[in-house]
Amino acid sequence: ISHELRTPLQSILGFSELAMQRYPDDDPSQPFFQDIYAAGQRMLVLVSNLLDLFKLESPTSGDIQLDRHDIRALLSEVARELRPQILSKNLNLKWSVPLTPLVAMLDPFRFQQVIRNILANAIHFSPVNAGILLDTRLAENSYVEISVLDQGPGIPPPELKAIFDPFFQSASKRKSDGTGTGLGLAISRKIIELHHGNIHAENC
């Protein structure tokens, strides 16, 4: 299924990108090729997210490989990856992490996928020159507790319980840009559940 869906999409993207390169920027056809390319990119993201969610919901959950890792190093890698987006809005990312190793049983790839998604959302909805707090601590039950606090518009209270459902998009996001697939948070919740943890959102 992955091959059958991705191959034609890659062809559409490739031919539209080739057309954009062959025609000058002021050519009347250029906007149409740009629209085709942008729509193809959105469709590719949707297909990838759907396949990812289906894979995670497999009864075997074979995609999760748990091992001992220091969470601090994994968080640092994600922050470095998102640094261009942080700088583009002149945001101040503040850290609150222990000085000693914070080791947990987790799948590093999937764990970073969750952090990347949550932190990218915080960056996207934060106003320019705002601050984001990434807080990490060891909870009383020996679980690791991670929170991301931003200064965005927040989520309407009636929607707080639904934002982790597949295809759900908050009204604040729809008003913001209308983009996204509504699957990022659903995938994040599934990953956290496979780690025997929980994830939630709240307005502070």
Side-chain angles (χ1 to χ4, degrees):
I1 292 176
S2 174
H3 175 77
E4 294 299 326
L5 290 173
R6 286 196 174 105
T7 298
L9 279 173
Q10 293 290 2
S11 297
I12 292 171
L13 290 170
F15 282 119
S16 59
E17 189 173 19
L18 181 62
M20 286 189 294
Q21 293 172 356
R22 289 192 173 185
Y23 285 81
D25 292 340
D26 57 353
D27 189 279
S29 302
Q30 187 69 229
F32 297 106
F33 295 129
Q34 293 173 354
D35 289 343
I36 293 171
Y37 184 79
Q41 288 280 20
R42 289 194 297 271
M43 183 62 70
L44 187 59
V45 170
L46 176 59
V47 168
S48 297
N49 284 341
L50 278 171
L51 293 172
D52 206 16
L53 186 59
F54 292 154
K55 185 190 300 182
L56 289 168
E57 290 181 340
S58 168
T60 60
S61 298
D63 198 45
I64 296 292
Q65 303 295 329
L66 300 180
D67 203 352
R68 292 172 60 85
H69 293 274
D70 186 351
I71 284 179
R72 301 175 306 161
L74 299 176
L75 293 175
S76 181
E77 289 179 9
V78 175
R80 284 199 303 271
E81 178 185 331
L82 296 175
R83 183 171 174 78
Q85 293 93 309
I86 294 172
L87 292 177
S88 68
K89 299 183 71 172
N90 196 32
L91 300 175
N92 180 22
L93 177 60
K94 296 182 179 180
W95 292 71
S96 178
V97 295
L99 297 177
T100 55
L102 195 57
V103 178
M105 292 291 295
L106 51 81
D107 182 312
F109 174 79
R110 290 301 185 179
F111 171 78
Q112 288 185 316
Q113 185 178 359
V114 174
I115 299 301
R116 186 180 299 109
N117 181 49
I118 301 300
L119 194 53
N121 277 347
I123 294 170
H124 178 76
F125 288 104
S126 292
V128 176
N129 300 321
I132 297 176
L133 175 62
L134 177 60
D135 183 79
T136 308
R137 67 183 69 185
L138 185 64
E140 294 181 357
N141 57 6
S142 296
Y143 275 67
V144 174
E145 183 178 287
I146 302 172
S147 61
V148 177
L149 178 66
D150 63 63
Q151 296 176 290
I155 302 168
E159 299 179 355
L160 281 171
K161 292 184 178 180
I163 64 169
F164 293 99
D165 294 341
F167 298 108
F168 181 84
Q169 288 190 332
S170 172
S172 60
K173 182 171 181 61
R174 294 195 297 270
K175 291 178 182 178
S176 172
D177 57 10
T179 62
T181 62
L183 288 173
L185 291 179
I187 291 173
S188 296
R189 179 175 65 179
K190 187 61 182 179
I191 292 173
I192 294 299
E193 289 176 349
L194 291 172
H195 282 80
H196 307 293
N198 62 78
I199 184 172
H200 71 280
E202 61 184 45
N203 294 316
C204 300

